[in-house]
Amino acid sequence: MSSAVRVEASLDPDLSRWLWLVKWLLAIPHYLVLAVLWLAFVPLTAVAFFAILFTGRYPRAIFEFNVGVLRWAWRVHYYAYAALGTDRYPPFTLAHVPDYPARLEIDYPERLSRGLVLVKWWLLAIPHYLVVGLFAGGGLWLWNSSDEGFQWGAGGLIGILVLIAGVILLARGEYPKPIFDFVIGMDRWVIRVGAYAALMTDEYPPFRLDSGGSEPGPPADRSSEPARHRPGTAGWTPGRVVSVVIGVALAVLSTGLISGGAASLWLDRADRDDDGYLTVSSTYSTDTAALASERFTFADTAAGDVPVTRALGDIRVRVTALDQKDVFVGVAPAPVAERYLRGTDHATIIDLTSGELAVHRSPESPVLPWEVGIWTVSAVGPGTQTITWPDQAGDWTLVVMNADGSAGVDVRAEAGATVPILGWLSWTLLVAGLLLLAAGVALAAVAVTRVSNELSPVSQGGS
């Protein structure tokens, strides 16, 4: 009985001794193309999942595309380091190429189980994943480290055997047939499991190693199958493939914009305090006389820079002393504040999240902060002190001290801004994301629809 998934390979009789050493370089164009094709393969499989769940059918156009991606990948891997079985460069096509040494065919299933689609790719295939992991990436190997002795590492059995075959090919000019047969058997097992996990068949992969280049059993009789349903005759032209790939890429990009817009909208509508500020807070403690922020910059909108100041709106800082001392908080232009701090033991906040501080020592006694006139805005007193100011272009530094200039600053600080631009930005991201999503879906849908029309019974009848 012929399998629904047929993997065949022919070993080239006159393989180059050395070419396999550079195939990793020669195959790079294929790897780049396949990376893009797999980007489309995954969401199209998700679409097929829902189609099977609701209709019991795998959309034929998507099936042909996904089989083509698997077929392309098998040819490249056969040429490269999953077999090294041919020196013939793989063709750039999704179609079936009958005379290429590596061939893959998967029968289109007219009906698929709507129940199995829910469990076969994550539950039923688990035993096979363990075997495939051993074949393709879970094998064990040992190496010797002069410092740490012998250690274990991971390497797929396929890769190890192909490397051995490559070394023998380099030395003797021939590929050992027993290794080839065993490697192709493992490759066949991996591809069968991949097709099952990609929902292309309900036929459970057999737990057996069918070694050798040919599938067991008689070849499938395809003479009665309509021409448009035979391998290599599907309507996936290069233009349609590009259309699907671009469409999927736009759809993936749109999810980032939509999620960013939704998160921003939630912040704008649900995370503001009663005064309309978005805030963050943290606790800081230092044995120095002053606690300072790193220099922060607001753009000069008059000079044509990005209008960061208008985006932030009003800024508010609240500082609460945790040790019952009077506290001072002020903002000054950064160069002026830095000159003041040079004569004061102070700690600079270098990480707002962790509260990490950089300490700077000075032998001089600090000048009381409220006695100097450098502050753009400041507040001093017991308990919680608050300063607010409209953001202004320039470089600024925020300084917190005990009002009496004594060492040991222990405070809880809260910084907030009104960020009036956030609502506009949220809707811009959402609208842009939805437009990209619509464009991506349209590009993919047009290509899939055209292929489906060519594969439809009406089309076949009129051909």
Side-chain angles (χ1 to χ4, degrees):
M1 179 179 180
S2 179
S3 171
V5 181
R6 294 178 296 283
V7 181
E8 308 237 343
S10 304
L11 179 62
D12 281 3
D14 298 314
L15 291 170
S16 168
R17 287 174 179 257
W18 59 268
L19 186 62
W20 67 273
L21 295 172
V22 296
K23 283 183 176 179
W24 64 271
L25 178 62
L26 300 177
I28 285 177
H30 279 286
Y31 293 148
L32 296 177
V33 174
L34 283 172
V36 176
L37 292 176
W38 282 109
L39 178 67
F41 181 98
V42 174
L44 287 178
T45 300
V47 172
F49 169 85
F50 288 104
I52 297 167
L53 184 63
F54 292 111
T55 70
R57 296 178 64 88
Y58 200 122
R60 183 61 190 256
I62 295 178
F63 181 87
E64 293 290 348
F65 179 90
N66 285 352
V67 171
V69 174
L70 289 177
R71 184 182 290 128
W72 193 326
W74 167 228
R75 287 193 295 252
V76 173
H77 288 309
Y78 185 75
Y79 170 79
Y81 300 104
L84 294 178
T86 183
D87 289 340
R88 179 179 167 187
Y89 199 69
F92 285 85
T93 178
L94 298 175
H96 176 63
V97 181
D99 63 341
Y100 192 77
R103 301 168 298 280
L104 169 64
E105 296 181 37
I106 303 177
D107 290 337
Y108 176 69
E110 293 298 336
R111 302 292 300 179
L112 288 167
S113 168
R114 288 188 281 183
L116 280 179
V117 76
L118 294 170
V119 295
K120 64 183 180 182
W121 56 276
W122 68 271
L123 178 61
L124 299 181
I126 287 178
H128 278 288
Y129 292 155
L130 300 177
V131 177
V132 166
L134 176 65
F135 290 166
L140 295 178
W141 47 279
L142 188 69
W143 82 95
N144 181 32
S145 169
S146 58
D147 296 329
E148 302 179 9
F150 287 97
Q151 298 181 4
W152 289 103
L157 187 54
I158 292 174
I160 294 172
L161 289 178
V162 169
L163 176 60
I164 293 172
V167 172
I168 296 174
L169 178 62
L170 186 65
R172 299 174 51 188
E174 62 180 34
Y175 195 125
K177 189 64 165 57
I179 294 182
F180 173 81
D181 290 341
F182 189 54
V183 164
I184 297 304
M186 290 188 290
D187 286 332
R188 182 175 287 118
W189 194 318
V190 171
I191 294 172
R192 286 172 177 171
V193 173
Y196 183 77
L199 314 178
M200 295 179 176
T201 179
D202 282 345
E203 181 181 290
Y204 196 70
F207 278 94
R208 68 171 187 266
L209 188 74
D210 292 329
S211 61
S214 300
E215 284 277 356
D221 181 9
R222 310 184 69 90
S223 58
S224 61
E225 189 174 359
R228 293 183 182 270
H229 282 198
R230 294 174 192 166
T233 59
W236 281 107
T237 63
R240 292 171 185 174
V241 172
V242 170
S243 179
V244 165
V245 169
I246 293 177
V248 170
L250 291 179
V252 171
L253 179 61
S254 74
T255 60
L257 295 176
I258 292 172
S259 59
S264 299
L265 189 61
W266 181 85
L267 286 174
D268 185 57
R269 299 299 176 87
D271 207 39
R272 295 183 181 273
D273 64 12
D274 293 338
D275 296 322
Y277 285 87
L278 296 169
T279 62
V280 293
S281 62
S282 188
T283 300
Y284 302 96
S285 181
T286 175
D287 62 356
T288 61
L291 177 68
S293 70
E294 288 192 300
R295 176 184 294 212
F296 54 93
T297 301
F298 294 145
D300 183 0
T301 56
D305 292 336
V306 178
V308 175
T309 56
R310 284 177 285 175
L312 291 176
D314 293 334
I315 299 171
R316 182 185 71 192
V317 175
R318 285 178 173 169
V319 177
T320 303
L322 301 179
D323 53 8
Q324 307 305 314
K325 295 181 181 180
D326 288 1
V327 66
F328 169 89
V329 57
V331 171
V336 179
E338 289 165 3
R339 282 197 297 271
Y340 170 73
L341 291 170
R342 274 200 290 270
T344 303
D345 269 2
H346 67 281
T348 302
I349 304 169
I350 60 177
D351 190 324
L352 290 173
T353 304
S354 66
E356 182 180 355
L357 305 176
V359 177
H360 311 274
R361 298 296 182 184
S362 173
E364 302 177 26
S365 299
V367 179
L368 296 179
W370 45 272
E371 291 183 346
V372 296
I374 65 172
W375 311 106
T376 301
V377 60
S378 63
V380 60
T384 299
Q385 297 299 310
T386 302
I387 58 173
T388 59
W389 74 99
D391 42 14
Q392 303 173 47
D395 296 336
W396 305 92
T397 298
L398 177 74
V399 177
V400 177
M401 299 177 66
N402 294 323
D404 58 5
S406 61
V409 179
D410 189 14
V411 297
R412 181 169 184 79
E414 177 193 276
T418 54
V419 198
I421 200 175
L422 189 59
W424 174 86
L425 178 62
S426 302
W427 286 111
T428 300
L429 290 175
L430 284 172
V431 171
L434 290 172
L435 289 175
L436 279 181
L437 179 61
V441 170
L443 282 172
V446 166
V448 169
T449 300
R450 288 179 177 175
V451 175
S452 297
N453 289 340
E454 292 186 7
L455 294 171
S456 67
V458 173
S459 251
Q460 294 165 27
S463 60

